[in-house]
Amino acid sequence: MAFENEDKAKGYWRENLRLVLGLLAIWFFVSYMCGIVLVDVLNQVEFGGFKLGFWFAQQGAMYVFVALIFVYAAKANALDKKYNVHED
């Protein structure tokens, strides 16, 4: 990966870090907050015959994690193209 100049390299890594931190914040919220801290509040709602807090702790978090992988891949590819460091 060769950047045109140092400023573009810093900009790329700044945006990449912002993307990763944003996705990690979502990951933390879904896994810790929805699956542990907010479980009693979420259990008041049913989803597919199960309490929502239980569903998040058992299955929902995994679906979100897989979705985050695809979101990161798409956003990282767009970022690579923006800074002209993509693979052909």
Side-chain angles (χ1 to χ4, degrees):
M1 181 181 321
F3 292 98
E4 295 172 6
N5 58 43
E6 187 69 24
D7 290 335
K8 286 203 176 220
K10 287 181 181 179
Y12 173 85
W13 289 111
R14 187 178 310 113
E15 286 190 50
N16 192 26
L17 184 59
R18 186 178 306 129
L19 172 63
V20 169
L21 290 176
L23 294 175
L24 282 174
I26 294 169
W27 175 68
F28 172 79
F29 180 78
V30 169
S31 64
Y32 185 73
M33 297 300 289
C34 292
I36 298 172
V37 175
L38 300 174
V39 71
D40 293 330
V41 175
L42 292 173
N43 277 341
Q44 296 174 3
V45 178
E46 287 198 13
F47 178 76
F50 296 99
K51 294 180 178 182
L52 188 59
F54 173 78
W55 185 82
F56 262 109
Q58 298 301 314
Q59 294 182 24
M62 290 184 287
Y63 293 141
V64 172
F65 298 159
V66 171
L68 288 176
I69 292 169
F70 287 105
V71 168
Y72 177 75
K75 296 276 189 177
N77 284 336
L79 188 62
D80 287 351
K81 288 179 183 175
K82 177 181 176 182
Y83 285 91
N84 198 25
V85 291
H86 60 284
E87 297 177 6
D88 293 322

